Amino acid sequence: MRSSILAAALFCLALTRPAHAQPDLSADHLDGTEPLVMNEPLDVVMVRGINYFAEREIADSPNRRPAKWNRDYSSVQAYEKSVEPNRERLREIIGAVDERVANPHEWFSFFDESVFANQSDAFDPDVVRWDCMEGVGGEGITLMSFEIDEKSPDLQPLVILIPDASQTPEMHAGMAPGLPPQFQIGRRLAESGCDVVILSLIDRSDEFSGNSNIRYTNQPHREFIYRMAFEMGRHVIGYEVQKVLAAIDARRPADLAEPGSRENIAVVGVGEGGLLAMLAAAVDPRIDACLVSGYFQSREGVWHEPIYRNVWGQLTEFGDAEVASLIAPRRLIIEACPAPEVDGPPAARQGRSGGAAPGRIATPSVDAVKYEIDRARQHFESLDSGENIALVVSDDDYAGSVDALEHLLGTLGLGGLKPSNELTESSVDEDRIQRRQQRQVAELDRFTQALMHRSDKVRDRFWSSVDRSSVEACVESLEFYRDYVYDNMIGRLPEPEMPLNPRTRKVIDEPTHVGYEVVLDCYPAGDTQRPIPEGADTSIPDTGSVDEIGWAVGKDWGVIAGGILLLPKDLKEGEQRPVVVCQHGLEGRPIDTITTDQSDRAWGPYKGFSTALVERGFIVYAPQNPYRGHDAFRVIQRKSNPMGRSLFSYIIPQHGRTLEWLASLPYVDRDRIGFYGLSYGGKTAVRVPPMLVPSEDKAGYCLSICSADYNEWVRKNASSEDRYSYVFTGEYEIFEWNMGHVANYAELSYLMTPRPFMVERGHDDGVAPDEWVAWEYAKVRRHYTKLGISERTEIEFFDGPHTINGVGTYGFLHRHLDWPKPQ
């Protein structure tokens, strides 16, 4: 039965159905639908509805997280074992997964008096570098306290201090201006008896964000690394957590530790460093204590923050309270104090292109901090360690209050904070600091590029279980991969359950065809008034107006699908015709694919291909996809990624509903519905039809054509070496989590097997060079050929730009949809 169903879907065979009356094409709306009344453009309503839906899902995420945990509070050992799967998932989503260098070495560069004129009599300062991962090292300043217990020097408290990304290690060591002496945390801890390593972070300047052979951008260094790393299942956050853990590896080698001994290790973080300190303590139980200053709060507003804090799937399992629960029952100190604030990326300027993602960092309110601590406290109390989580509210303007540091020192077995020594002014070697930053950015860039260059071999190993012994065996073996891609790279929403509720209105009436605008329901509307998250970036276009009391307001239609249906006027009674779904590209509308006005800007890329196909006798449907509205749609990705979703998480169900409705129309042959998309519509062509497979009880796409987009997509997103790369552009939403190790365009195309698949490629299309396209498509051609179905795939190269060519593709449609070509 399964093979016969597959054969029916894969060969796109027409089935005999009862005759139906010819549709009344003179009516203002289609039979079986309600009149459509919509006073705003379809794309505006659609994008706003998805934004509202995404926000509601985020708001509900804390209620769903317990299902991801199976905590056992019966003992500390039982608890640690029970949360280890969560700890492992946290490592994965922050990208802290690469093997660190075994037995890392440290290199010291000693300061002399001319460089460090304010030498303290309490500690010895050095520049330090330590091994982390292949070709990547941690760097910073070490302050070795003179108060070492000579009987047991290994028990001297080790503190890894992680400043905010706007601060340098030299500031916290008292070697550079920027912090008042009483808030130079590294110096004060060293004076009080700690061995302190102050980590240098990738900062928020844009000096090295680019390539001298291509262009430089206004992206903060953290975003520049984030973009390429996200595509490879890595993250600037994970890279720097690895640097923290490597510092511990170097200072507390496992082979020197006595069994059951106390490590006496603490991490302290300020702002961005607070994020890293908490994550490091959560994933590494060697850390005894953690002080987080100016960071801890509920995470539901993370999409307002800079994109380099965007973590795939975070909110499905981890708010700050859940991360804190991985530290329990160890010591966690939260200091509610002013955070180093960020208003957005550096402004575009001469020599720096724009396009950096919007986002800001604001100081969380004390109430927001208390709320999240109360959520975390329950886990400490369940382990009889409620005293090990503490809140310190500071009235100071900086992190590192006396109360916070004394809490930490007490945990480390030291006395109170010692009086700070008076230090003289230092001379600051700014060139050395700048060279260090350049070196750190370059190392992570190179490391990520190496991952990219090796990623095809990782994918080959992952996809090695595809069974090509027969078409049927291949189709069956691909089901695992289809589910894996959908669930782990795209993000799957629950199947829509509400009625379709189709609404239509006539918008086109031509001699050969008519057109109806269509709206269908996918997911229901919810609350249309939402509180604006504290610290929200009001520079990011919201999805509704904001009233005087800080609520976003606007009519919510829910998540809808919509587009324009074109019907030939020569439809005959009882006839069922094939359908071509014609998908627009970025910032497009359905009408762009329909217009035949050659003075219209849309004519250049689309050539009116929807109209051309309806005039060839096909029924045509031109959907509205939600990638329209600039930041208004890009922020959907920001709201969805923390929930383990992407823009295509919504687009796939929208198309599924569209197919359900089209299949219900008496003049549509449900088994002959093909897809043809240009540009972002080409992205759709390799992500949507592969997931919507025809079956006995559900309509799907029986073929797919990718125009002006097919690519070596991993390189297109992750490369810092090629001018075609999105690393250098304004499409900050484009990156897909770990795509490099899951599925490139060839692997996505395999999921069409054995349905027909075609690529349309213009030699002058600037999205990529021909060589990238040919390289990736060659794998698809080989795959279909090995299965003995090479006639079902092809590529057409033509001498032209980023446009519909409509030659080979039209023939492909006529052949595989079994519709005669016009005479």
Side-chain angles (χ1 to χ4, degrees), residues 402-425:
V402 171
D403 286 347
L405 296 182
E406 288 195 336
H407 269 76
L408 179 70
L409 291 169
T411 301
L412 297 175
L414 298 173
L417 196 65
K418 294 189 176 179
S420 182
N421 295 328
E422 289 294 326
L423 301 181
T424 59
E425 277 294 320

Side-chain angles (χ1 to χ4, degrees), residues 194-215:
C194 298
D195 177 9
V196 180
V197 178
I198 313 176
L199 184 67
S200 174
L201 294 192
I202 302 297
D203 67 21
R204 300 188 184 102
S205 69
D206 62 2
E207 185 67 25
F208 311 115
S209 295
N211 184 319
S212 59
N213 296 317
I214 302 170
R215 72 172 75 84

Side-chain angles (χ1 to χ4, degrees), residues 764-798:
D764 299 324
D765 192 334
V767 301
D770 283 344
E771 291 82 353
W772 288 13
V773 180
W775 163 279
E776 198 65 14
Y777 176 75
K779 302 176 186 180
V780 182
R781 177 73 183 179
R782 180 180 61 211
H783 170 77
Y784 272 69
T785 299
K786 291 294 186 181
L787 290 170
I789 53 173
S790 59
E791 73 281 359
R792 298 186 197 172
T793 187
E794 61 186 85
I795 186 169
E796 181 189 49
F797 288 95
F798 65 94

